[in-house]
Amino acid sequence: MKVAIASDHGGVNIREEIKSLMDEMNIQYEDFGCECGTSVDYPDYALPVAEKVANGEFDKGILICGTGIGMSIAANKVKGIRCALVHDLFSAKATRQHNDSNVLAMGERVIGPGLAREIAAVWLSEEYEGGRHENRVGKIKEYENK
Ligand code: RB5
């Protein structure tokens, strides 16, 4: 599995935490910034990561900003992206199993690095269940292809 990860200035600490988690999990990743000592704009980081996942260059993406909201809104504008904004373990598991989410967004002003690490570990490990969910995810894909 190859993961593209990025954050704005509001998500740098969690980005580093998740990178160390992926090192431990032997997951290949590439860090797309930010190199930020100053304030940056989250769409400049969310959109390239989302595009790299949508075009198959990467299998999954992880995006962190202050709330996770801006990153998730921007990523979900890219066709083929199902970005889940997650701040609890139940949703981390459910969104992989049910939504086949391919991008995870989190907010560093909402949760701490410990919980973010656990959420990412679950999200990176869980498989999509397919079955009854395939029809539902299929309807989203159908809408995107209209
Ligand atoms: C940046 O101040 C902040 O707006 C951003 O990190 C994020 O929370 C946006 O949704």
Side-chain angles (χ1 to χ4, degrees):
M1 188 201 316
K2 267 177 74 186
V3 177
I5 186 167
S7 78
D8 72 359
H9 54 283
V12 175
N13 297 318
I14 284 183
R15 190 177 90 219
E16 292 309 312
E17 186 70 35
I18 304 308
K19 280 163 59 183
S20 90
L21 168 74
M22 290 194 286
D23 286 334
E24 285 167 28
M25 292 176 83
N26 281 319
I27 292 174
Q28 212 188 322
Y29 62 83
E30 205 172 316
D31 183 349
F32 292 95
C34 61
E35 298 283 334
C36 34
T38 56
S39 176
V40 297
D41 299 332
Y42 57 82
D44 293 339
Y45 298 89
L47 295 170
V49 163
E51 281 175 358
K52 285 172 207 301
V53 174
N55 71 21
E57 220 181 307
F58 287 82
D59 302 298
K60 285 180 179 162
I62 298 182
L63 295 166
I64 309 104
C65 64
T67 58
I69 297 170
M71 287 293 199
S72 61
I73 290 173
N76 277 317
K77 296 294 177 197
V78 176
K79 185 176 165 183
I81 293 304
R82 291 176 302 283
C83 176
L85 172 57
V86 175
H87 290 132
D88 68 277
L89 291 167
F90 177 83
S91 303
K93 187 175 175 185
T95 191
R96 282 292 309 127
Q97 293 180 340
H98 296 187
N99 315 121
D100 196 19
S101 54
N102 48 13
V103 177
L104 168 68
M106 294 182 284
E108 187 169 307
R109 294 175 191 155
V110 184
I111 55 170
L115 179 54
R117 165 184 272 265
E118 287 192 33
I119 287 169
V122 166
W123 187 80
L124 288 163
S125 308
E126 285 296 330
E127 296 291 335
Y128 176 47
E129 279 178 358
R132 71 185 192 280
H133 303 294
E134 198 47 35
N135 196 36
R136 298 160 186 169
V137 173
K139 286 183 178 181
I140 298 170
K141 292 179 181 168
E142 218 176 274
Y143 181 84
E144 283 182 319
N145 287 321
K146 269 209 286 201

